[in-house]
Amino acid sequence: MALQTATPIVAQSVSSLPTREHHDWEDHHVLQINREAPRAYFIPFAEKPGDSRLSLNGAWHFRWTRTPQERIADFYRTDFDASSWQRLNVPANWEVNGYGTPIYVSAGFPFRINPPYVTDEPKKDWTTYEERNPTGQYKRTFQLPEKWQQGQTFLRFEGVMSAFYVWVNGERVGYSQGSMEPSEFNVTPYLHRGENQVAVEVYKYSDGSYLEDQDFWRFGGIHRDVLLYHTPDVRLRDVAIRTCCNNLSDAQWTLQIDPQFSVYRGEDGEGYRLAAVLTDGGQTVGSDTADVATVLDLSHKAVRMNEWYPQRGHRKLGRMTMTVSRPRLWSADYPHLYDLHLVLLRPDGSVAEQVKERVGFRKIEIKGCEMFINGHVVKLRGVNRHEHDPHTARVMSEELMVKDLLLMKQANINAVRLSHYPNCPRWYELCDSIGMFVMDEADCESHGLRGTLASTPDWAPAFLDRCIRMAERDKNRPSIIFWSLGNESGYGPNHAAMAAWLHEFDPTRPVHYEGAQGHYPDLYDPKTVDVISRFYPRVRQEYLNPGIPEGSDRERAENARWERLLDIADAGDTRPILTSEYAHAMGNAMGNFQDYWDEIYSHRQLLGGFIWDWVDQGILRGDSVCYGGDFGDKPNLHAFCLNGVVRSQRELTPKYYEVKKVYAPVCFRREGNTIRAAVRYSEIPLSEYRFTYTVTDNGRPAAQGTFAEKLSLDGFARLINRHADHDIRLTVAAHRNGMEVTHEQFPLADHLLAMASSANKRQSPIVSLADIRLQAFRAPTDNDKSFGNWLAKDWKRQGLDTAQVVVTDGGRRQEIRLPEGTITMTAEQQDDEYELTFTCQGTLPELPRLGIVMALPDDYNRVEWYGLGPWDNYPDRQAACTIGKWTSTVAEQYTPYARPQDSGSHGSCAYVVLRNGAGKTIRVEAIGEPFAFSALPYSARELATKNHHYELRPDGHTYLSIDCAVLGLGNSSCGPGVLKRYAIDKSTTHRLRFRIW
């Protein structure tokens, strides 16, 4: 097998390169200076938690400059007076605090590409032309606790973007880079009694930025906690905790504890012991001790090395072990945690240091084509999550993290991919306790350079550094079930090195990386990863391909680029298949989400997926949500940062409820005359749910009650027989912990249109044919604009967005005339009944809708309907909705996406009523077939021409749209488009019949 040739980054000879000043932060061989080795996250204490730490969060003296050249080079001197500087709270990102420009770049770098350099001159209109490499200088003082005169003191930064130096009392301590990994420095030699001074110099960009090209805003600053902690001269430096079970059936588990120690000032650890006690609810479950000097093995005795680090084979684990019989296991469904107390004892038996940890017993296995947690097959109902707060940017509060997790759990999400970097440590602890599977991902993305650096040997240490620091910090967290090598960085030997290190370091967890791909059917994905992973796959159905002639076997490139999940499963590789990003939730989105999960449940090999993504990454400026370009940042990718299931401030959307319904771990099926509940890939049995039912008769409650797992329909026979011509529907629901988990609706007597004639006419029509206008345009959704701008581009090219309706014969004939075709509506009216016929001629774009619109006075601001609700719905996103009688306001019908677009559609409607404050109504009733409607305070044109929600201006009307056909939403803001079965067939005649009064 031939060796792979390394890809050179620079083709010039060394002698021809100009001489330039050397900077550590532009040298990918300098990853750190004097930084401590990575370790598991814990803060030790002496007598009680917190007594050996000192937070340095809070106000620092701060100075910001656009370039390193403008900084004060010797600001770190103890006699330098920074009292006139501004004050900035730490943690904080500069750009949301008035220092510099937020830049939103999806893929590519905000600076000129020339690795490892980040300060070469970019284009003059780029933000970095002026803000070449923003630099922040921080200073503050602190009082060293008197008890800290003996022992060791460490300065810990949980996260700094992206490189920094630190000085203590005027002396340089060290340097570190990597925005999402912690950095620790032993500052003991630099401290003195009383007041001490610390100075930090932070660079927004560094050579490390070439590995931080994630689809996100580019920020700078100290964005996570800063603290000091103190230890004795013999200290517990690190600990690895692992739970093992060879055979789940015998229920005998082993807890392995592997401590590491450090000694200082001539100490050798002799006589010191580490005691470990495992408890559950205060009851001791197991205990063990280890001799510190033996573990340290400062004399490197052959007998010890042969036992723990043999000449051949793997290292031995389990310096301390406990056997636990039938422990309560940890999973996302049942996140049970044990307490582990580690006590470092001096030779005289007194306590030198303590650490408390939480332990979850769980076993991860990939057997055949499936993944098992504790012997149970799992499907990952997941979501990607960026760390984002619309006020503070990257700075995460406990309140917001808890809110995210609770909202996820309530939406039946059981897994989160940390896209695309390690999160702040507290997030993992919350996932452990609340119950959430985690894919921990290395802060390694070189999207703008594709796979160049992954195949460049002298970048291998930088790749490995990020992988090692992630795994070392997070190794003890039971919620983590995958390590991920990063994101969108091609694939090369450097990735293979990361995977090899992870597999050897931690064989209990599988390794993931979406970029590790072969080319089916000739080459399987590299064996360095344990699962097959793909972005934005297609389902095995026919997709709409705008611009491709009918009957052609060609596909639009924007569709064809995405593989089909079931095709991958049929290719022969037996590893589980995961879609690490799918269902791009940008704006009014998430079409055919149910279709994805119908396929995932249909095939054992399909493991599940992670929605892109959890939250819109909008930044608040006043009350306005801003996105790329709103700060004058350039280059930028506009609103591509707004792709969350929830909006920036965690406001819920119709997408959220669709996720909750499709991801539900319980489903209901009708089997003959019985409704049965069933569990779908969950450990929680049906016995833990409370099941309820409600029967509605023409929208009114007729019966309700509870049942246990199955419900006979025989008890409703009398009601059905008595009202055989009514619309009678049964809605069943599963509840747990006081909240609804899911619901399902079954028609018992499916007479939807019975509701269309259920009201008595009480007034003369106030709308005439002259008030009705043909409508075939909707304000483009983000999916309509999409990667290829397929649909909206076609609409604009043919003028559908601005086309005037040509009205003749008193409104009985209306046309939208486009350059290559015509949409015609003919109307027949008899009293208050209308029959509208729609035909399409010529070459037309794919149509977003077919129907009519009426501009009504805006005091008609209350809406009632009988149809799908309560959330808006489209042909390919309606799993969460049920048929019922719903009420709302017109204002509530519009979802205030940061970038305006169509919303508010409701399908399968029998009637809609608009009501004003005086009690007057306008009622539209379906005849023959139900319709879709929307009632919005803005016209389609207004929504289509504004770039921000705050720019929308009401014009005194309520716009009532009645449609006989609506285009689905699809996923093509990033992914495949609309399935053909959710599109409008232009070759057939469409009819819309209704009564209006």
Side-chain angles (χ1 to χ4, degrees):
M1 182 177 179
L3 291 174
Q4 184 175 351
T5 303
T7 304
I9 299 179
V10 181
Q12 293 174 279
S13 67
V14 175
S15 61
S16 67
L17 290 173
T19 302
R20 63 189 298 162
E21 184 179 359
H22 176 266
H23 300 294
D24 296 326
W25 41 270
E26 287 186 311
D27 184 346
H28 56 294
H29 301 106
V30 181
L31 304 176
Q32 56 87 17
I33 298 172
N34 207 31
R35 188 179 69 205
E36 291 286 298
R39 65 173 181 86
Y41 176 75
F42 60 85
I43 305 300
F45 60 95
E47 297 177 3
K48 61 181 181 179
D51 67 4
S52 298
R53 64 175 290 166
L54 177 66
S55 174
L56 296 186
N57 290 352
W60 291 55
H61 294 290
F62 178 72
R63 183 175 185 269
W64 180 91
T65 59
R66 295 175 302 170
T67 68
Q69 290 74 25
E70 298 172 273
R71 80 194 194 285
I72 298 173
D74 59 352
F75 83 108
Y76 54 81
R77 294 191 341 260
T78 55
D79 60 353
F80 181 88
D81 183 9
S83 61
S84 63
W85 287 8
Q86 300 292 317
R87 303 279 274 179
L88 179 67
N89 277 328
V90 169
N93 284 117
W94 302 334
E95 295 80 359
V96 293
N97 286 279
Y99 300 99
T101 306
I103 304 174
Y104 169 58
V105 180
S106 169
F109 304 98
F111 45 80
R112 183 179 172 182
I113 298 176
N114 182 22
Y117 306 109
V118 294
T119 53
D120 288 4
E121 184 174 300
K123 296 178 181 179
K124 289 188 176 181
D125 62 345
W126 282 26
T127 301
T128 51
Y129 185 81
E130 294 292 336
E131 298 178 21
R132 190 65 54 88
N133 190 5
T135 305
Q137 296 179 299
Y138 300 74
K139 290 194 80 173
R140 67 160 291 166
T141 60
F142 63 89
Q143 289 292 129
L144 189 70
E146 191 62 33
K147 292 182 179 180
W148 290 16
Q149 301 305 318
Q150 301 298 318
Q152 304 296 307
T153 301
F154 296 85
L155 176 58
R156 181 178 177 92
F157 297 84
E158 297 294 356
V160 182
M161 309 183 80
S162 68
F164 69 100
Y165 294 96
V166 59
W167 295 262
V168 171
N169 292 325
E171 296 186 66
R172 192 174 83 164
V173 175
Y175 166 84
S176 185
Q177 63 184 55
S179 298
M180 299 301 187
E181 299 85 15
S183 302
E184 283 188 348
F185 302 91
N186 189 334
V187 294
T188 308
Y190 310 96
L191 298 174
H192 52 240
R193 188 175 261 105
E195 185 176 84
N196 289 260
Q197 190 180 97
V198 59
V200 183
E201 186 169 272
V202 178
Y203 297 82
K204 181 171 182 177
Y205 305 121
S206 67
D207 57 87
S209 300
Y210 283 103
L211 299 182
E212 297 176 357
D213 190 26
Q214 291 93 353
D215 175 5
F216 201 79
W217 294 93
R218 310 304 163 98
F219 296 119
I222 303 173
H223 66 104
R224 292 180 182 163
D225 292 342
V226 183
L227 67 143
L228 292 158
Y229 70 90
H230 188 72
T231 75
D233 286 330
V234 177
R235 73 177 182 113
L236 178 64
R237 194 198 75 79
D238 192 12
V239 63
I241 302 165
R242 184 176 294 179
T243 60
C244 308
C245 181
N246 292 328
N247 186 350
L248 287 167
S249 62
D250 67 18
Q252 293 295 313
W253 287 71
T254 300
L255 176 65
Q256 295 179 340
I257 304 170
D258 283 278
Q260 294 182 21
F261 303 97
S262 290
V263 291
Y264 307 86
R265 300 181 185 179
E267 290 281 4
D268 59 9
E270 287 293 338
Y272 279 78
R273 292 176 298 117
L274 182 69
V277 178
L278 184 72
T279 60
D280 184 16
Q283 299 296 312
T284 299
V285 175
S287 63
D288 199 5
T289 61
D291 180 74
V292 171
T294 300
V295 175
L296 276 170
D297 192 22
L298 296 179
S299 59
H300 302 291
K301 292 185 176 180
V303 65
R304 292 175 181 167
M305 292 189 293
N306 287 337
E307 180 180 3
W308 295 100
Y309 302 98
Q311 188 78 351
R312 295 169 182 84
H314 302 285
R315 62 174 176 157
K316 180 182 175 181
L317 299 172
R319 296 277 188 170
M320 308 165 74
T321 62
M322 302 177 199
T323 299
V324 181
S325 180
R326 301 189 181 280
R328 297 175 65 185
L329 304 183
W330 185 97
S331 70
D333 287 333
Y334 293 108
H336 188 77
L337 294 170
Y338 289 75
D339 294 301
L340 179 64
H341 190 189
L342 301 172
V343 183
L344 182 63
L345 299 170
R346 297 185 182 93
D348 63 3
S350 62
V351 173
E353 185 178 51
Q354 304 181 66
V355 169
K356 288 188 175 180
E357 265 287 9
R358 308 299 302 281
V359 175
F361 285 82
R362 59 103 180 90
K363 183 174 185 177
I364 308 163
E365 298 174 284
I366 291 179
K367 297 190 293 187
C369 64
E370 295 175 300
M371 185 173 184
F372 295 77
I373 305 290
N374 302 333
H376 298 275
V377 179
V378 296
K379 298 281 189 185
L380 299 181
R381 302 186 289 266
V383 69
N384 284 272
R385 175 185 175 269
H386 268 302
E387 288 187 313
H388 179 71
D389 184 305
H391 301 278
T392 61
R394 291 285 197 185
V395 180
M396 293 290 99
S397 67
E398 173 126 351
E399 178 185 17
L400 192 58
M401 288 188 287
V402 170
K403 185 173 187 177
D404 276 347
L405 277 169
L406 291 179
L407 285 174
M408 288 178 186
K409 293 288 283 189
Q410 290 164 17
N412 296 315
I413 291 167
N414 70 354
V416 59
R417 177 183 179 220
L418 306 186
S419 51
H420 303 287
Y421 41 81
N423 283 200
C424 68
R426 181 59 176 154
W427 172 260
Y428 303 86
E429 295 174 342
L430 292 170
C431 289
D432 290 347
S433 60
I434 291 175
M436 185 67 65
F437 294 132
V438 172
M439 176 181 283
D440 204 9
E441 191 152 275
D443 184 20
C444 190
E445 179 168 345
S446 61
H447 198 149
L449 281 165
R450 307 306 189 266
T452 304
L453 301 183
S455 294
T456 304
D458 71 344
W459 278 81
F463 276 68
L464 278 167
D465 178 71
R466 290 163 184 266
C467 162
I468 292 169
R469 290 164 73 188
M470 168 190 71
E472 288 282 14
R473 189 196 71 170
D474 300 335
K475 60 198 169 203
N476 296 332
R477 301 276 57 85
S479 54
I480 296 172
I481 63 168
F482 270 108
W483 300 121
S484 180
L485 306 182
N487 190 62
E488 293 186 304
S489 302
Y491 181 78
N494 295 343
H495 287 116
M498 295 168 77
W501 190 91
L502 284 169
H503 278 125
E504 183 60 28
F505 172 75
D506 179 18
T508 71
R509 293 181 176 99
V511 171
H512 163 274
Y513 178 56
E514 185 269 343
Q517 295 191 19
H519 301 283
Y520 291 112
D522 303 317
L523 183 65
Y524 289 149
D525 288 8
K527 296 300 183 182
T528 49
V529 292
D530 300 302
V531 291
I532 300 166
S533 180
R534 291 295 183 272
F535 281 179
Y536 307 104
R538 289 182 288 171
V539 296
R540 191 177 278 174
Q541 296 184 43
E542 187 176 0
Y543 281 83
L544 196 62
N545 283 283
I548 302 298
E550 190 70 29
S552 172
D553 60 357
R554 293 192 299 118
E555 293 182 295
R556 286 286 293 248
E558 295 93 335
N559 270 335
R561 65 180 293 192
W562 311 112
E563 295 175 76
R564 297 182 193 269
L565 278 175
L566 290 176
D567 289 352
I568 302 171
D570 290 344
D573 193 320
T574 60
R575 285 173 286 183
I577 298 167
L578 178 68
T579 172
S580 45
E581 293 180 20
Y582 78 121
H584 199 261
M586 185 176 180
N588 191 5
M590 297 194 69
N592 66 274
F593 191 56
Q594 181 69 63
D595 296 270
Y596 274 114
W597 276 83
D598 288 344
E599 285 198 354
I600 290 169
Y601 285 132
S602 76
H603 202 292
R604 293 171 54 208
Q605 195 173 357
L606 301 185
L607 177 55
F610 295 91
I611 298 163
W612 187 267
D613 59 6
W614 172 242
V615 60
D616 284 352
Q617 289 107 53
I619 297 176
L620 283 179
R621 185 165 54 186
D623 294 328
S624 302
V625 178
C626 299
Y627 52 78
D630 287 345
F631 300 94
D633 48 309
K634 194 170 183 180
N636 68 78
L637 199 55
H638 312 295
F640 203 61
C641 57
L642 305 174
N643 33 44
V645 173
V646 298
R647 287 161 42 212
S648 299
Q649 297 189 80
R650 276 55 177 184
E651 306 99 327
L652 304 187
T653 67
K655 297 174 288 189
Y656 175 88
Y657 296 103
E658 190 79 354
V659 171
K660 178 183 176 73
K661 176 62 167 62
V662 175
Y663 271 2
V666 176
C667 64
F668 298 95
R669 301 185 182 96
R670 182 168 182 171
E671 299 175 359
N673 220 31
T674 301
I675 303 297
R676 293 183 183 274
V679 172
R680 292 191 293 198
Y681 296 93
S682 170
E683 294 181 51
I684 301 171
L686 292 176
S687 59
E688 290 196 20
Y689 293 93
R690 184 174 68 90
F691 297 101
T692 63
Y693 70 87
T694 302
V695 177
T696 56
D697 179 356
N698 278 357
R700 296 184 180 90
Q704 61 185 19
T706 62
F707 65 99
E709 301 182 18
K710 63 181 181 179
L711 175 66
S712 173
L713 302 183
D714 293 339
F716 309 122
R718 176 180 295 182
L719 173 66
I720 297 169
N721 293 333
R722 189 169 64 243
H723 301 290
D725 58 343
H726 286 199
D727 190 54
I728 302 175
R729 297 180 181 269
L730 167 71
T731 302
V732 292
H735 308 260
R736 188 169 182 261
N737 297 328
M739 291 182 290
E740 181 183 297
V741 174
T742 190
H743 63 266
E744 195 69 65
Q745 188 175 74
F746 300 91
L748 301 182
D750 194 357
H751 301 297
L752 176 67
L753 294 188
M755 290 298 292
S757 56
S758 61
N760 296 318
K761 183 174 177 181
R762 296 186 302 274
Q763 63 184 33
S764 300
I766 62 172
V767 175
S768 68
L769 193 56
D771 300 310
I772 293 172
R773 285 293 175 268
L774 166 63
Q775 182 175 235
F777 176 69
R778 74 181 179 199
T781 66
D782 287 308
N783 280 340
D784 295 335
K785 296 176 181 179
S786 72
F787 258 172
N789 205 14
W790 320 349
L791 298 171
K793 186 176 182 179
D794 285 347
W795 300 341
K796 190 173 186 64
R797 180 178 60 83
Q798 290 221 35
L800 183 64
D801 58 332
T802 56
Q804 298 297 311
V805 178
V806 179
V807 180
T808 58
D809 194 17
R812 288 178 174 81
R813 183 179 179 87
Q814 301 186 22
E815 292 181 329
I816 295 175
R817 298 171 182 172
L818 303 180
E820 300 175 37
T822 302
I823 305 164
T824 302
M825 182 190 82
T826 59
E828 298 291 336
Q829 179 184 4
Q830 185 172 358
D831 297 328
D832 57 4
E833 293 188 6
Y834 295 80
E835 181 171 346
L836 311 181
T837 303
F838 302 85
T839 57
C840 301
Q841 295 176 312
T843 304
L844 294 169
E846 300 298 336
L847 298 179
R849 72 193 327 158
L850 271 178
I852 60 169
V853 63
M854 292 171 273
L856 306 173
D858 64 0
D859 63 340
Y860 285 88
N861 55 21
R862 301 288 305 180
V863 60
E864 175 190 308
W865 74 99
Y866 190 82
L868 284 172
W871 305 286
D872 72 8
N873 49 86
Y874 291 76
D876 57 355
R877 194 192 70 205
Q878 52 185 225
C881 294
T882 56
I883 299 288
K885 182 186 290 186
W886 309 103
T887 60
S888 178
T889 66
V890 169
E892 290 168 345
Q893 286 298 293
Y894 177 67
T895 302
Y897 297 108
R899 184 162 71 174
Q901 54 199 281
D902 186 73
S903 68
S905 181
H906 295 273
S908 299
C909 288
Y911 72 78
V912 58
V913 178
L914 288 171
R915 181 175 287 105
N916 67 12
K920 293 183 177 180
T921 61
I922 297 172
R923 181 182 179 96
V924 183
E925 298 175 343
I927 301 174
E929 294 290 337
F931 54 67
F933 88 91
S934 66
L936 299 175
Y938 309 107
S939 68
R941 180 67 180 159
E942 173 73 3
L943 292 171
T945 55
K946 295 299 190 292
N947 290 319
H948 297 84
H949 174 68
Y950 61 78
E951 297 172 0
L952 293 172
R953 297 292 179 267
D955 63 2
H957 294 96
T958 290
Y959 289 90
L960 176 62
S961 298
I962 308 293
D963 296 311
C964 61
V966 175
L967 178 69
L969 296 170
N971 295 279
S972 59
S973 57
C974 183
V978 180
L979 289 172
K980 194 167 184 178
R981 66 191 182 101
Y982 300 125
I984 297 174
D985 185 354
K986 302 188 293 293
S987 67
T988 191
T989 298
H990 297 266
R991 287 182 171 81
L992 179 61
R993 296 177 61 207
F994 58 87
R995 182 183 303 109
I996 184 167
W997 49 275

